[in-house]
Amino acid sequence: SEHHADFYAHHLVGLPLIIRMGSDDNNVPPYHLRRMARLVDQLSEDPSFVEVSEIPGEGHWFNGVVDDAIM
């Protein structure tokens, strides 16, 4: 159950949330993060509540992952 986003998404409603990922992440599949964003948006009743920042061609850690202009 640790990978069931629907069990955890309701805890994120109301919190400012940005999901940051590389599109080629092989540690945390981008699908899981996109799914969590969709669930939180749905529970928030706001289709743009969660900000998603997906960097094309990057893996799990990349230059700027936590210290570029977006973050």
Side-chain angles (χ1 to χ4, degrees):
S1 68
E2 67 186 75
H3 300 293
H4 291 249
D6 48 332
F7 291 153
Y8 303 107
H10 66 279
H11 294 290
L12 300 173
V13 173
L15 297 175
L17 185 60
I18 181 171
I19 292 179
R20 190 86 192 274
M21 66 189 137
S23 65
D24 292 339
D25 192 332
N26 61 0
N27 265 356
V28 181
Y31 165 79
H32 292 282
L33 299 170
R34 288 187 215 110
R35 182 165 184 254
M36 181 64 81
R38 283 193 307 272
L39 287 169
V40 174
D41 280 347
Q42 190 174 39
L43 291 168
S44 300
E45 298 179 358
D46 180 350
S48 60
F49 182 79
V50 178
E51 182 178 346
V52 177
S53 172
E54 184 169 347
I55 311 303
E58 294 292 352
H60 190 70
W61 284 104
F62 52 89
N63 288 334
V65 67
V66 295
D67 62 354
D68 68 358
I70 293 172
M71 297 303 286

